[in-house]
Amino acid sequence: MTFSGHARGSREYRRLIVGLFFAGIATFAQLYSAQGVLPQISSDLSVSPATAALSVSAATLGLALAVVPWSMVADRIGRVPAMATGVLTATVVGLSAPLSNEIFALLALRFVEGVALGAVPAVALAYLSEEVEAGYAAAAAGSYIAGTTVGGLLGRIGAGIVGEVAGWRAGVLAVAVMCAVAAVLFLWLTPRARGFVPGRLRADRGPGILEKLRGPLRSPRQWALYAQGFLLMGAFVAVYNYLGFHLAAEPFDLPAWLVTMLFLAYLAGTVSSPWAGVLASRSGRFPVLLASIGVMAVGAVLLLAQVAVLVLLGLVLFTGGFFGAHAIASGWTPVAATPGSRAQASSLYYFAYYAGSSLFGWMLGLVFVGASWGWFVAAVIVMCAAAALAAISVLRGAPGVHRSS
């Protein structure tokens, strides 16, 4: 009998969803933990703030470069073994990183940690698309994205709180220990794959990696989905990079501790990700994607307000809209790909996602410093509009638009 995916509500479905939720925590808490203790790293290692910030960039660069190779590994050894290998390796490296006594050692370990962490975003959504009934794949993807938001929040806030009391090493180490627990829960809960046979177990190995990459790279639909990650993630990271500077200046003059707590707005993404997935299962991915981008743009407009409460409301809307759109686009990518290239399609999405983070997280800073906050927000809104235009132009009739796709 052909396996058509775990039914929603089944024991295996619940274990899969919860297991990948913990995989998201184990991955993204480690990835962003250093961001919560950058001032302490700068002071303790006697480096500039920009150099200290490379401890975050090194990890995201390693992840971006690793997602395609990890998709190849997953095709060879299997989805769950690949994710398990990556998460466990990253946890070991993450426990070692706080022992660094100079910046170059820390950057090297963070880069290796990022390379290992690339296994989860490269493979998780392809695994979901193969193991869950098609009608509920969007909802399942939303639950996974919710785990990534919780991980990003816990990594930043957890390391920051502990680091404030006991130093950055203790902060990063505390997050690494938490991630080790999450990794064990992921390994215990996640069921073995039934919708995919690893290449090492197949008599017919199928097409090579270049052929698997060629399909997604020739697909306008895939490029439109990659544009969502590239543009929306770039806008999202830029806002979180520079909003703190804006709120610390006049007319707001918010204290540093309150600016740090802006990361709590990530909780909006924890709610919106699974909600967007459920709505997409009922109404289709396309309208939910456009609605999420619209919410994101409305939130960006509110960032122009001169009242702090309205700015914070805008940040919550902006964050919720972003994670809703990301949940839809990232989960749609493997569904719209051919079965033999799903892992590669998903890994290319995440390559675009982190490329946008790196490029626009820096480039929009030039707008913020050289022009004004108003022009910065205008650039963010234009990026949201460009993402929506790409979706309207190409994705309206793509596979996965309807609930049963």
Side-chain angles (χ1 to χ4, degrees):
M1 183 176 178
T2 303
F3 177 67
S4 60
H6 297 301
R8 187 177 186 181
S10 67
R11 179 176 180 271
E12 291 79 7
Y13 179 92
R14 290 193 297 269
R15 290 178 66 93
L16 186 151
I17 295 302
V18 177
L20 285 184
F21 181 87
F22 282 114
I25 290 177
T27 300
F28 290 90
Q30 292 186 75
L31 188 66
Y32 291 113
S33 61
Q35 196 172 52
V37 290
L38 289 180
Q40 293 96 319
I41 292 176
S42 175
S43 175
D44 185 62
L45 299 182
S46 300
V47 297
S48 69
T51 302
L54 290 175
S55 59
V56 178
S57 297
T60 55
L61 175 63
L63 190 152
L65 295 175
V67 286
V68 173
W70 271 117
S71 72
M72 298 164 58
V73 172
D75 279 352
R76 175 66 180 169
I77 69 173
R79 310 304 198 205
V80 176
M83 289 189 288
T85 300
V87 167
L88 291 176
T89 302
T91 300
V92 172
V93 177
L95 291 169
S96 305
L99 304 178
S100 305
N101 291 319
E102 49 94 20
I103 190 64
F104 295 107
L106 176 62
L107 295 183
L109 287 170
R110 288 286 292 168
F111 177 80
V112 173
E113 189 176 5
V115 169
L117 289 173
V120 174
V123 177
L125 292 166
Y127 169 71
L128 272 174
S129 69
E130 295 159 350
E131 301 299 319
V132 173
E133 282 188 344
Y136 301 106
S143 296
Y144 162 69
I145 298 300
T148 71
T149 67
V150 172
L153 174 64
L154 290 177
R156 292 170 170 100
I157 298 295
I161 292 174
V162 176
E164 189 71 24
V165 176
W168 73 269
R169 299 176 195 277
V172 173
L173 182 62
V175 173
V177 171
M178 176 188 69
C179 291
V181 175
V184 170
L185 291 171
F186 158 66
L187 294 174
W188 175 52
L189 290 167
T190 307
R192 66 178 182 84
R194 294 178 57 190
F196 176 79
V197 178
R200 62 185 176 82
L201 300 179
R202 295 198 302 262
D204 176 14
R205 299 297 172 85
I209 183 61
L210 293 179
E211 183 63 30
K212 291 180 178 181
L213 287 171
R214 189 177 295 119
L217 290 174
R218 287 179 173 177
S219 169
R221 289 168 176 169
Q222 290 293 329
W223 279 98
L225 290 166
Y226 302 155
Q228 307 305 306
F230 182 71
L231 293 167
L232 299 181
M233 178 58 166
F236 177 76
V237 167
V239 165
Y240 270 87
N241 278 351
Y242 303 108
L243 181 60
F245 293 98
H246 177 61
L247 292 178
E250 295 182 351
F252 304 102
D253 292 320
L254 296 184
W257 68 268
L258 185 55
V259 172
T260 300
M261 299 307 287
L262 289 174
F263 287 125
L264 288 173
Y266 261 65
L267 293 173
T270 306
V271 174
S272 68
S273 298
W275 190 35
V278 171
L279 288 176
S281 295
R282 296 172 181 170
S283 305
R285 291 178 172 89
F286 179 72
V288 179
L289 174 62
L290 288 185
S292 297
I293 296 173
V295 171
M296 192 176 173
V298 170
V301 171
L302 287 176
L303 297 179
L304 294 169
Q306 298 296 300
V307 179
V309 172
L310 290 178
V311 173
L312 295 177
L313 174 61
L315 183 63
V316 170
L317 290 174
F318 183 81
T319 303
F322 166 73
F323 278 110
H326 172 45
I328 298 303
S330 60
W332 197 348
T333 298
V335 172
T338 58
S341 62
R342 283 174 174 165
Q344 286 70 36
S346 188
S347 65
L348 287 169
Y349 173 87
Y350 275 99
F351 177 81
Y353 183 82
Y354 286 105
S357 170
S358 301
L359 177 62
F360 293 111
W362 164 75
M363 185 180 293
L364 290 189
L366 301 179
V367 177
F368 173 69
V369 173
S372 67
W373 180 251
W375 282 108
F376 172 89
V377 173
V380 167
I381 294 171
V382 167
M383 291 170 67
C384 292
L389 180 61
I392 292 169
S393 301
V394 180
L395 295 176
R396 186 184 299 272
V401 169
H402 303 293
R403 186 186 71 82
S404 59
S405 299

